[in-house]
């Protein structure tokens, strides 16, 4: 196993631990949001995933409008 692979596995392991810790903190501490849905456990996790998916889909649609031909600079 190369050093780069060990380093990558270590970073992924740290990422998993960080995500688990943040999920645990989200469940254990009560939040007082402006809306009732903000107080639901895992709301910001779901909100973040949905926002990410919407951003990717919007980028795919916008790409059709701003994409240039391959020989644009020739």
């Amino acid at each position: 196993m190369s050093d780069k692979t060990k380093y990558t596995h270590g970073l992924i392991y740290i990422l998993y631990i960080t995500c688990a810790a943040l999920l645990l903190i989200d469940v254990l501490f009560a939040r007082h949001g402006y809306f009732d849905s903000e107080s639901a456990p895992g709301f910001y996790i779901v909100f973040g995933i949905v926002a990410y998916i919407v951003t990717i889909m919007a980028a795919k649609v916008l790409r059709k409008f701003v994409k240039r031909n391959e020989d644009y600079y020739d």
Side-chain angles (χ1 to χ4, degrees):
M1 189 181 283
S2 69
D3 290 336
K4 189 174 183 180
T5 307
K6 289 179 186 178
Y7 181 71
T8 304
H9 286 294
L11 283 177
I12 291 173
Y13 184 68
I14 290 170
L15 178 67
Y16 288 151
I17 291 173
T18 304
C19 288
L22 289 173
L23 180 62
L24 185 65
I25 289 170
D26 183 50
V27 172
L28 292 178
F29 291 102
R31 260 188 261 102
H32 305 286
Y34 291 110
F35 303 103
D36 290 336
S37 59
E38 289 182 77
S39 300
F43 169 77
Y44 289 105
I45 296 168
V46 174
F47 182 78
I49 291 171
V50 170
Y52 174 75
I53 292 170
V54 168
T55 303
I56 297 300
M57 294 301 164
K60 286 184 177 185
V61 171
L62 289 174
R63 182 175 184 233
K64 294 177 183 176
F65 297 108
V66 298
K67 184 178 176 184
R68 307 231 186 226
N69 295 331
E70 287 185 30
D71 57 353
Y72 178 76
Y73 291 105
D74 291 337

